[in-house]
Amino acid sequence: MASPSSSAADPAQHKYLQCLTNHSSTPISQAIYFPTDPLYTSTLESNIRNLVYASDSTPRPLFIVAATHVSHIQSTILCCKAHGLQLRIRSGGHDFDGLSYVSPSPFVLLDLFNLRSVTIDVESETAWVNSGATLGELYHEIAGNSKILGFPGGVCPTVGVGGFLSGGGYGNLMRKHGLSVDNVVDAIIVDSDGRVLDREAMGEDLFWAINGGGGASFGVIVSWKIRLVPVPETVTVFRVERTLEQGASDVVHKWQLIADKLHEDLFIRVVLIPVPITSGDEEKFTIKAKFNALFLGKTERLMGLMDHEFPELGLSPADCLEMSWIESVLFWSNYPPETSTENNTAALLSRELQSIKSGKRKSDYVVTPIPKASLEGIWAKMMESGKTGFVFNPYGGAMDEVPAAETAFPHRAGNLYKIQYSIGWKEPGVEAEEKYLGDIRRMYSYMTPFVSKNPRRAYMNYRDLDIGTVKRGSKNSYAEGKVYGDKYFDGNFERLVKVKTAVDPNYFFWNEQSVPVLPGKVEL
């Protein structure tokens, strides 16, 4: 950590340290890491989740503020404004295109990993959770206080709460209880003037915007008050795999027709990956479809639903496992079902990924079923690439009941399922990166006829700079921002722009895909 003596050797560092100290109501020097500090690199790299942004050529922050108090956030904002520095805000580091910790302009990284407290109130069925906590830490605290409460968050325990919630995070409870943002009741934000505001103080427009519109466009969200949801003491999970040779095309096609119409207690995700098979001396590919499910009830009732609605999958009671909700979290994270209680705790509280590699994500929404013949064409394209995988996440249930304008997240009724495209690689170098990026981009282009149109919608938490960016200082920020803004926010984009212009008219909270501003200040 920086010390006054080590910082004084560099006039710029001394200037920044002095500014931060002057504006913080609590000691801050021990929370600051300059590049000369021995812990700077390990702190920076500890929450990098995509090795594309860990190369020697990746821009690095002038310094890191690992805030331990809200006054550290306030002082960082004020000093970045005073010295014309960009601010990047990181809670868990899962921003797929690295915007939470990389910038082309001189920047400061405000890292929230030390602000990770979780306070559960079982009586009111609510919790306060800091943005720097992970979903695993939140789930662990919930389960430690109740066996019949949960939260409709994501299935990856290492994801940071701050970015997840503000982007409209989803998970396998979404068909029953909606999105994470449908269960947010209050928040604490520090705005561009360094003011600390709760829901009442910030007003309903800003509160609406940070629930699905991306918090980093509007301020630094310190903590969230969330509504916990009921879960049964026993849930059922299954994971069933089918290849093309085992009739996967027919099963996936039928899934499209019924997944959004199944009972809201049942969530069935489909993971599709090309896998090699050996035929003599020649390596060929097939497609493996993995049907991963969470059912809010016991096996007997699940089997009745599946036999009636989805017999094509051929599910049997032997495929099913009954467990608690918290155990299902780990099952969905690919931990073995027999994981011990101690190992469960360690897995939920760990901030380390099981593996880290380079990667790229993209997204789409499907509003009409893809014909079986077209699915077979998609499989052929996937096998040609040999690397790009898909995840189909079903809609319906509670997602059809919340109006599109209720929160800033717009993708509600009318969507059958969401697609995540993913590709990962371990080979180093620009040549490998260009190869794999080309693979996923060609796959995305091929899918154009089968997905939503005008706009072709996208999920903001699957950050994708391919769909548009806004330049720093651009005089056309609104026009540039509308390109990706319409895709992420659809009919809610214009209201988000109005809120952004009112609360951050000088565009301090900028990144390559932030909500843009209009010229002049807009009064709400």
Side-chain angles (χ1 to χ4, degrees), residues 286-357:
T286 188
I287 297 297
K288 179 185 289 185
K290 296 191 289 187
F291 296 84
N292 301 335
L294 171 69
F295 178 65
L296 300 176
K298 295 186 176 182
T299 302
E300 183 178 0
R301 186 162 72 94
L302 170 62
M303 288 304 304
L305 289 172
M306 292 294 291
D307 288 345
H308 183 259
E309 300 287 347
F310 197 13
E312 292 81 0
L313 185 59
L315 186 71
S316 73
D319 297 317
C320 302
L321 294 170
E322 293 184 347
M323 57 185 62
S324 66
W325 169 74
I326 195 64
E327 289 170 332
S328 77
V329 170
L330 292 165
F331 176 88
W332 271 73
S333 298
N334 296 316
Y335 287 94
E338 64 273 10
T339 302
S340 67
T341 301
E342 293 78 10
N343 288 339
N344 281 350
T345 298
L348 290 169
L349 299 183
S350 174
R351 299 176 79 93
E352 300 294 325
L353 293 181
Q354 296 182 53
S355 65
I356 302 177
K357 54 189 174 182

Coordinates of all heavy atoms in Angstrom, one line a residue, residues 286-357:
T286 N -19.9 -33.3 -33.4 CA -21.3 -33.3 -33.2 C -21.7 -32.2 -32.3 O -20.8 -31.4 -31.8 CB -21.7 -34.7 -32.6 OG1 -23.2 -34.7 -32.6 CG2 -21.3 -34.9 -31.2
I287 N -23.0 -32.0 -32.0 CA -23.5 -31.0 -31.1 C -24.0 -31.8 -29.8 O -24.8 -32.7 -30.0 CB -24.6 -30.1 -31.7 CG1 -24.0 -29.4 -32.9 CG2 -25.1 -29.2 -30.6 CD1 -22.9 -28.4 -32.5
K288 N -23.6 -31.3 -28.7 CA -24.1 -31.8 -27.4 C -25.0 -30.8 -26.8 O -24.7 -29.6 -26.7 CB -23.0 -32.1 -26.4 CG -23.5 -32.7 -25.1 CD -22.3 -32.8 -24.1 CE -21.5 -34.0 -24.5 NZ -20.4 -34.2 -23.4
A289 N -26.2 -31.2 -26.5 CA -27.2 -30.3 -25.9 C -27.3 -30.8 -24.4 O -27.7 -31.9 -24.1 CB -28.6 -30.4 -26.6
K290 N -27.1 -29.9 -23.5 CA -27.2 -30.2 -22.1 C -28.4 -29.4 -21.5 O -28.4 -28.2 -21.6 CB -25.9 -29.8 -21.3 CG -24.7 -30.5 -21.8 CD -23.5 -30.3 -20.9 CE -22.9 -28.9 -21.0 NZ -21.6 -28.8 -20.2
F291 N -29.3 -30.2 -21.0 CA -30.5 -29.6 -20.4 C -30.3 -29.5 -18.9 O -30.4 -30.6 -18.2 CB -31.7 -30.4 -20.7 CG -32.0 -30.5 -22.2 CD1 -31.3 -31.4 -23.0 CD2 -32.9 -29.6 -22.8 CE1 -31.6 -31.4 -24.4 CE2 -33.2 -29.6 -24.2 CZ -32.5 -30.5 -25.0
N292 N -30.1 -28.3 -18.4 CA -29.9 -28.1 -16.9 C -31.2 -27.5 -16.3 O -31.7 -26.5 -16.9 CB -28.7 -27.2 -16.7 CG -27.4 -27.7 -17.3 OD1 -27.3 -28.9 -17.5 ND2 -26.5 -26.8 -17.6
A293 N -31.6 -28.0 -15.2 CA -32.9 -27.6 -14.7 C -32.9 -27.4 -13.2 O -32.2 -28.1 -12.5 CB -34.0 -28.6 -15.0
L294 N -33.7 -26.4 -12.8 CA -34.1 -26.3 -11.4 C -35.6 -26.3 -11.3 O -36.3 -25.6 -12.0 CB -33.6 -24.9 -10.8 CG -34.1 -24.5 -9.4 CD1 -33.4 -25.5 -8.4 CD2 -33.8 -23.1 -9.1
F295 N -36.1 -27.1 -10.3 CA -37.5 -27.2 -10.1 C -37.8 -26.9 -8.6 O -37.1 -27.5 -7.7 CB -38.0 -28.6 -10.4 CG -39.5 -28.8 -10.2 CD1 -40.4 -28.1 -10.9 CD2 -39.9 -29.7 -9.2 CE1 -41.8 -28.2 -10.6 CE2 -41.3 -29.8 -8.9 CZ -42.2 -29.1 -9.6
L296 N -38.7 -26.0 -8.3 CA -39.0 -25.6 -7.0 C -40.0 -26.6 -6.4 O -41.2 -26.3 -6.1 CB -39.5 -24.2 -6.9 CG -38.5 -23.2 -7.5 CD1 -39.1 -21.8 -7.5 CD2 -37.2 -23.2 -6.6
G297 N -39.6 -27.8 -6.1 CA -40.4 -28.9 -5.6 C -39.7 -30.2 -5.6 O -38.5 -30.3 -5.9
K298 N -40.4 -31.3 -5.4 CA -39.8 -32.6 -5.3 C -39.9 -33.3 -6.6 O -40.7 -33.0 -7.5 CB -40.4 -33.4 -4.2 CG -40.1 -32.8 -2.8 CD -40.6 -33.7 -1.7 CE -40.3 -33.1 -0.3 NZ -40.7 -33.9 0.8
T299 N -39.2 -34.4 -6.7 CA -39.1 -35.2 -8.0 C -40.4 -35.7 -8.5 O -40.7 -35.6 -9.7 CB -38.1 -36.4 -7.8 OG1 -36.8 -35.9 -7.4 CG2 -38.0 -37.2 -9.1
E300 N -41.2 -36.1 -7.6 CA -42.5 -36.8 -8.0 C -43.3 -35.8 -8.8 O -43.9 -36.1 -9.9 CB -43.3 -37.3 -6.8 CG -44.6 -38.0 -7.1 CD -45.3 -38.5 -5.9 OE1 -44.8 -38.3 -4.8 OE2 -46.4 -39.1 -6.1
R301 N -43.5 -34.5 -8.3 CA -44.3 -33.5 -9.0 C -43.6 -33.1 -10.3 O -44.2 -32.9 -11.3 CB -44.5 -32.3 -8.1 CG -45.5 -31.3 -8.7 CD -46.0 -30.3 -7.7 NE -45.0 -29.4 -7.2 CZ -44.9 -28.1 -7.7 NH1 -45.6 -27.7 -8.7 NH2 -44.0 -27.3 -7.2
L302 N -42.3 -33.0 -10.3 CA -41.5 -32.7 -11.5 C -41.8 -33.7 -12.6 O -42.0 -33.4 -13.7 CB -40.0 -32.6 -11.2 CG -39.1 -32.5 -12.4 CD1 -39.4 -31.2 -13.2 CD2 -37.6 -32.5 -11.9
M303 N -41.7 -35.0 -12.2 CA -41.9 -36.0 -13.2 C -43.3 -36.0 -13.9 O -43.4 -36.2 -15.1 CB -41.7 -37.4 -12.6 CG -40.2 -37.7 -12.3 SD -39.1 -37.6 -13.7 CE -39.9 -38.7 -14.9
G304 N -44.3 -35.6 -13.1 CA -45.6 -35.4 -13.6 C -45.7 -34.3 -14.7 O -46.3 -34.5 -15.7
L305 N -45.0 -33.2 -14.4 CA -45.0 -32.1 -15.3 C -44.2 -32.5 -16.6 O -44.6 -32.2 -17.7 CB -44.3 -30.9 -14.7 CG -45.1 -30.2 -13.6 CD1 -44.2 -29.1 -12.9 CD2 -46.3 -29.5 -14.2
M306 N -43.0 -33.1 -16.4 CA -42.2 -33.5 -17.6 C -42.9 -34.5 -18.5 O -42.8 -34.4 -19.7 CB -40.8 -34.0 -17.1 CG -40.0 -32.9 -16.4 SD -39.5 -31.6 -17.6 CE -38.3 -32.5 -18.6
D307 N -43.5 -35.5 -17.8 CA -44.1 -36.6 -18.6 C -45.3 -36.0 -19.5 O -45.5 -36.5 -20.6 CB -44.7 -37.7 -17.7 CG -43.6 -38.5 -17.1 OD1 -42.4 -38.5 -17.6 OD2 -43.8 -39.2 -16.1
H308 N -45.9 -35.0 -18.9 CA -47.0 -34.4 -19.7 C -46.6 -33.3 -20.7 O -47.1 -33.3 -21.8 CB -48.0 -33.7 -18.7 CG -49.2 -33.1 -19.3 ND1 -49.4 -31.8 -19.5 CD2 -50.4 -33.7 -19.7 CE1 -50.5 -31.6 -20.1 NE2 -51.2 -32.8 -20.2
E309 N -45.6 -32.5 -20.3 CA -45.2 -31.4 -21.2 C -44.0 -31.6 -22.1 O -43.9 -31.0 -23.1 CB -45.0 -30.1 -20.3 CG -46.1 -29.7 -19.4 CD -47.2 -29.0 -20.3 OE1 -47.0 -28.7 -21.4 OE2 -48.3 -28.8 -19.7
F310 N -43.1 -32.5 -21.6 CA -41.8 -32.6 -22.3 C -41.3 -34.0 -22.3 O -40.2 -34.3 -21.9 CB -40.8 -31.6 -21.6 CG -39.6 -31.3 -22.4 CD1 -39.5 -31.6 -23.8 CD2 -38.5 -30.7 -21.8 CE1 -38.3 -31.3 -24.5 CE2 -37.3 -30.4 -22.5 CZ -37.3 -30.7 -23.9
P311 N -42.1 -35.0 -22.8 CA -41.7 -36.4 -22.7 C -40.5 -36.6 -23.7 O -39.8 -37.6 -23.5 CB -43.0 -37.1 -23.2 CG -43.7 -36.1 -24.0 CD -43.5 -34.8 -23.3
E312 N -40.3 -35.7 -24.7 CA -39.2 -35.9 -25.6 C -37.9 -36.0 -25.0 O -36.9 -36.6 -25.5 CB -39.3 -34.8 -26.7 CG -40.5 -34.9 -27.6 CD -41.7 -34.3 -27.0 OE1 -41.7 -33.8 -25.8 OE2 -42.7 -34.2 -27.7
L313 N -37.7 -35.3 -23.8 CA -36.4 -35.4 -23.2 C -36.1 -36.7 -22.6 O -34.9 -37.1 -22.4 CB -36.4 -34.3 -22.1 CG -35.0 -34.1 -21.3 CD1 -33.9 -33.8 -22.3 CD2 -35.1 -33.1 -20.2
G314 N -37.1 -37.5 -22.3 CA -36.9 -38.8 -21.7 C -36.4 -38.8 -20.3 O -35.6 -39.7 -19.9
L315 N -36.8 -37.8 -19.5 CA -36.3 -37.7 -18.1 C -36.8 -38.9 -17.3 O -38.0 -39.3 -17.4 CB -36.8 -36.4 -17.5 CG -36.3 -36.0 -16.1 CD1 -34.8 -35.7 -16.2 CD2 -37.1 -34.9 -15.5
S316 N -36.0 -39.4 -16.4 CA -36.4 -40.4 -15.5 C -36.1 -40.0 -14.0 O -35.2 -39.1 -13.8 CB -35.6 -41.7 -15.8 OG -34.3 -41.6 -15.4
P317 N -36.7 -40.6 -13.0 CA -36.4 -40.2 -11.6 C -34.9 -40.3 -11.3 O -34.4 -39.6 -10.5 CB -37.3 -41.1 -10.8 CG -38.4 -41.4 -11.7 CD -37.8 -41.5 -13.1
A318 N -34.2 -41.3 -12.0 CA -32.8 -41.5 -11.7 C -32.0 -40.3 -12.1 O -30.8 -40.1 -11.6 CB -32.3 -42.8 -12.4
D319 N -32.5 -39.5 -13.0 CA -31.7 -38.3 -13.5 C -31.8 -37.1 -12.5 O -31.1 -36.2 -12.6 CB -32.3 -37.8 -14.8 CG -32.1 -38.8 -15.9 OD1 -31.1 -39.4 -16.0 OD2 -33.1 -38.9 -16.7
C320 N -32.8 -37.3 -11.5 CA -33.1 -36.1 -10.6 C -32.4 -36.2 -9.3 O -32.2 -37.3 -8.7 CB -34.6 -36.1 -10.4 SG -35.5 -35.9 -12.0
L321 N -32.0 -35.1 -8.8 CA -31.4 -35.0 -7.4 C -32.2 -34.0 -6.6 O -32.5 -32.9 -7.1 CB -30.0 -34.5 -7.5 CG -29.0 -35.5 -8.2 CD1 -27.7 -34.8 -8.4 CD2 -28.8 -36.7 -7.4
E322 N -32.6 -34.4 -5.4 CA -33.3 -33.5 -4.5 C -32.3 -32.9 -3.5 O -31.4 -33.6 -3.0 CB -34.4 -34.2 -3.7 CG -35.6 -34.7 -4.6 CD -36.7 -35.3 -3.8 OE1 -36.5 -35.6 -2.6 OE2 -37.8 -35.5 -4.4
M323 N -32.4 -31.6 -3.2 CA -31.4 -31.0 -2.3 C -32.0 -29.6 -1.9 O -33.1 -29.3 -2.3 CB -30.1 -30.7 -3.1 CG -30.3 -29.9 -4.4 SD -28.8 -29.7 -5.4 CE -28.4 -31.4 -5.7
S324 N -31.3 -28.9 -1.1 CA -31.7 -27.6 -0.6 C -31.4 -26.6 -1.7 O -30.6 -26.8 -2.7 CB -31.0 -27.2 0.6 OG -29.6 -27.0 0.4
W325 N -32.0 -25.4 -1.6 CA -31.8 -24.4 -2.6 C -30.3 -24.0 -2.7 O -29.7 -23.9 -3.8 CB -32.6 -23.1 -2.3 CG -32.2 -21.9 -3.1 CD1 -32.5 -21.7 -4.5 CD2 -31.5 -20.8 -2.7 NE1 -31.9 -20.5 -4.9 CE2 -31.3 -20.0 -3.8 CE3 -30.9 -20.4 -1.5 CZ2 -30.6 -18.8 -3.7 CZ3 -30.2 -19.2 -1.4 CH2 -30.0 -18.4 -2.5
I326 N -29.7 -23.8 -1.5 CA -28.3 -23.4 -1.5 C -27.4 -24.5 -2.1 O -26.4 -24.2 -2.8 CB -27.8 -23.1 -0.1 CG1 -26.5 -22.3 -0.1 CG2 -27.7 -24.3 0.8 CD1 -26.6 -20.9 -0.8
E327 N -27.7 -25.8 -2.0 CA -27.0 -26.8 -2.6 C -27.2 -26.8 -4.1 O -26.3 -27.1 -4.9 CB -27.4 -28.2 -2.1 CG -26.9 -28.4 -0.6 CD -27.6 -29.7 0.0 OE1 -28.7 -30.0 -0.4 OE2 -26.9 -30.3 0.9
S328 N -28.4 -26.4 -4.5 CA -28.6 -26.3 -6.0 C -27.8 -25.2 -6.6 O -27.4 -25.3 -7.8 CB -30.1 -26.0 -6.3 OG -30.5 -24.7 -6.0
V329 N -27.5 -24.1 -5.9 CA -26.6 -23.1 -6.4 C -25.2 -23.7 -6.8 O -24.7 -23.4 -7.9 CB -26.4 -22.0 -5.3 CG1 -25.3 -21.0 -5.7 CG2 -27.7 -21.2 -5.1
L330 N -24.7 -24.5 -5.9 CA -23.4 -25.2 -6.2 C -23.5 -26.2 -7.4 O -22.6 -26.3 -8.2 CB -22.9 -25.8 -5.0 CG -22.5 -24.8 -3.9 CD1 -22.3 -25.4 -2.6 CD2 -21.2 -24.0 -4.3
F331 N -24.6 -26.9 -7.4 CA -24.9 -27.8 -8.5 C -24.8 -27.1 -9.8 O -24.2 -27.6 -10.8 CB -26.2 -28.6 -8.3 CG -26.6 -29.5 -9.5 CD1 -26.2 -30.8 -9.5 CD2 -27.3 -29.0 -10.5 CE1 -26.5 -31.6 -10.5 CE2 -27.7 -29.9 -11.6 CZ -27.3 -31.2 -11.6
W332 N -25.5 -26.0 -9.9 CA -25.5 -25.2 -11.1 C -24.1 -24.6 -11.4 O -23.9 -24.2 -12.6 CB -26.6 -24.1 -11.0 CG -27.9 -24.6 -11.5 CD1 -28.7 -25.4 -10.9 CD2 -28.5 -24.2 -12.7 NE1 -29.9 -25.7 -11.6 CE2 -29.8 -24.9 -12.8 CE3 -28.2 -23.4 -13.8 CZ2 -30.7 -24.8 -13.8 CZ3 -29.1 -23.3 -14.9 CH2 -30.3 -24.0 -14.9
S333 N -23.3 -24.5 -10.5 CA -21.9 -24.0 -10.7 C -21.0 -25.1 -11.0 O -19.7 -24.9 -10.9 CB -21.4 -23.2 -9.5 OG -22.3 -22.1 -9.3
N334 N -21.5 -26.3 -11.2 CA -20.7 -27.5 -11.6 C -19.9 -28.1 -10.5 O -18.9 -28.8 -10.7 CB -19.9 -27.2 -12.8 CG -20.7 -26.9 -14.0 OD1 -21.7 -27.5 -14.3 ND2 -20.3 -25.8 -14.7
Y335 N -20.3 -27.8 -9.2 CA -19.7 -28.5 -8.1 C -20.4 -29.9 -7.9 O -21.6 -29.9 -8.1 CB -19.7 -27.7 -6.8 CG -18.8 -26.5 -6.8 CD1 -19.2 -25.3 -7.2 CD2 -17.5 -26.7 -6.4 CE1 -18.4 -24.2 -7.2 CE2 -16.6 -25.6 -6.4 CZ -17.1 -24.3 -6.8 OH -16.2 -23.3 -6.8
P336 N -19.7 -30.9 -7.5 CA -20.3 -32.2 -7.4 C -21.3 -32.2 -6.3 O -21.1 -31.5 -5.2 CB -19.1 -33.2 -7.0 CG -18.0 -32.3 -6.6 CD -18.2 -31.0 -7.3
P337 N -22.4 -32.9 -6.4 CA -23.5 -32.9 -5.4 C -23.1 -33.4 -4.0 O -23.7 -33.0 -3.0 CB -24.5 -33.9 -6.0 CG -24.2 -34.0 -7.5 CD -22.8 -33.8 -7.6
E338 N -22.0 -34.2 -4.0 CA -21.6 -34.7 -2.7 C -20.7 -33.8 -2.0 O -20.1 -34.1 -0.9 CB -21.0 -36.1 -2.8 CG -19.7 -36.1 -3.7 CD -19.9 -36.2 -5.2 OE1 -21.1 -36.1 -5.6 OE2 -18.9 -36.4 -5.9
T339 N -20.5 -32.5 -2.5 CA -19.6 -31.6 -1.8 C -20.0 -31.4 -0.4 O -21.2 -31.2 0.0 CB -19.7 -30.2 -2.5 OG1 -19.3 -30.4 -3.9 CG2 -18.7 -29.2 -1.9
S340 N -19.0 -31.5 0.5 CA -19.3 -31.4 2.0 C -19.7 -29.9 2.3 O -19.5 -29.0 1.6 CB -18.0 -31.7 2.8 OG -17.0 -30.7 2.6
T341 N -20.3 -29.8 3.6 CA -20.7 -28.5 4.0 C -19.6 -27.5 4.1 O -19.7 -26.4 3.7 CB -21.3 -28.6 5.4 OG1 -22.5 -29.5 5.4 CG2 -21.8 -27.3 5.9
E342 N -18.4 -28.0 4.5 CA -17.2 -27.1 4.6 C -16.8 -26.7 3.2 O -16.5 -25.5 3.0 CB -16.1 -27.8 5.3 CG -16.3 -28.1 6.8 CD -17.2 -29.3 7.0 OE1 -17.5 -30.1 6.0 OE2 -17.6 -29.5 8.2
N343 N -16.8 -27.6 2.3 CA -16.4 -27.3 0.9 C -17.5 -26.4 0.2 O -17.2 -25.5 -0.6 CB -16.2 -28.5 0.1 CG -14.9 -29.2 0.5 OD1 -14.0 -28.6 1.1 ND2 -14.8 -30.5 0.2
N344 N -18.8 -26.6 0.6 CA -19.8 -25.7 0.1 C -19.6 -24.3 0.5 O -19.6 -23.3 -0.3 CB -21.2 -26.1 0.7 CG -21.8 -27.3 0.0 OD1 -21.3 -27.7 -1.1 ND2 -22.9 -27.9 0.5
T345 N -19.2 -24.1 1.8 CA -18.9 -22.8 2.3 C -17.8 -22.1 1.6 O -17.8 -21.0 1.1 CB -18.7 -22.8 3.8 OG1 -19.8 -23.3 4.5 CG2 -18.3 -21.4 4.3
A346 N -16.7 -22.9 1.4 CA -15.5 -22.4 0.7 C -15.8 -22.0 -0.7 O -15.3 -21.0 -1.2 CB -14.4 -23.5 0.8
A347 N -16.6 -22.9 -1.4 CA -17.0 -22.6 -2.8 C -17.8 -21.3 -2.9 O -17.6 -20.5 -3.9 CB -17.7 -23.8 -3.4
L348 N -18.7 -21.1 -2.0 CA -19.6 -19.9 -2.1 C -18.8 -18.6 -1.8 O -19.1 -17.6 -2.3 CB -20.7 -20.0 -1.1 CG -21.8 -21.1 -1.5 CD1 -22.8 -21.3 -0.3 CD2 -22.6 -20.6 -2.7
L349 N -17.8 -18.7 -0.9 CA -17.1 -17.5 -0.4 C -15.9 -17.3 -1.2 O -15.3 -16.2 -1.1 CB -16.7 -17.7 1.1 CG -17.9 -17.8 2.0 CD1 -17.4 -17.9 3.5 CD2 -18.9 -16.7 1.9
S350 N -15.4 -18.2 -2.1 CA -14.3 -18.0 -2.9 C -14.5 -17.0 -4.0 O -15.6 -17.0 -4.6 CB -13.8 -19.3 -3.5 OG -12.7 -19.1 -4.4
R351 N -13.6 -16.1 -4.2 CA -13.7 -15.2 -5.3 C -12.9 -15.6 -6.5 O -12.7 -14.9 -7.5 CB -13.3 -13.8 -4.8 CG -14.1 -13.2 -3.7 CD -13.6 -11.9 -3.2 NE -14.0 -10.8 -4.1 CZ -15.0 -10.0 -3.9 NH1 -15.9 -10.3 -2.9 NH2 -15.3 -9.0 -4.7
E352 N -12.3 -16.8 -6.4 CA -11.5 -17.3 -7.5 C -12.3 -18.1 -8.5 O -13.1 -19.0 -8.1 CB -10.4 -18.2 -6.9 CG -9.4 -17.5 -6.0 CD -8.6 -16.4 -6.6 OE1 -8.2 -16.6 -7.8 OE2 -8.4 -15.4 -6.0
L353 N -12.1 -17.9 -9.8 CA -12.8 -18.7 -10.8 C -12.1 -20.1 -10.9 O -10.9 -20.3 -10.6 CB -12.7 -18.1 -12.2 CG -13.4 -16.7 -12.4 CD1 -13.2 -16.3 -13.8 CD2 -14.9 -16.9 -12.1
Q354 N -12.9 -21.1 -11.3 CA -12.4 -22.4 -11.4 C -11.3 -22.5 -12.5 O -10.4 -23.3 -12.5 CB -13.5 -23.5 -11.7 CG -14.4 -23.6 -10.5 CD -15.5 -24.6 -10.7 OE1 -15.3 -25.8 -11.1 NE2 -16.8 -24.2 -10.6
S355 N -11.5 -21.6 -13.5 CA -10.5 -21.5 -14.6 C -10.6 -20.1 -15.2 O -11.8 -19.6 -15.2 CB -10.6 -22.6 -15.6 OG -11.8 -22.4 -16.3
I356 N -9.5 -19.5 -15.6 CA -9.6 -18.2 -16.3 C -8.9 -18.3 -17.7 O -7.8 -18.9 -17.8 CB -8.9 -17.1 -15.5 CG1 -9.5 -17.0 -14.1 CG2 -8.9 -15.8 -16.2 CD1 -8.8 -16.0 -13.2
K357 N -9.6 -17.8 -18.7 CA -9.0 -17.8 -20.0 C -9.5 -16.6 -20.8 O -10.3 -15.8 -20.3 CB -9.4 -19.1 -20.7 CG -10.9 -19.4 -20.8 CD -11.2 -20.8 -21.3 CE -12.7 -21.1 -21.3 NZ -12.9 -22.5 -21.7

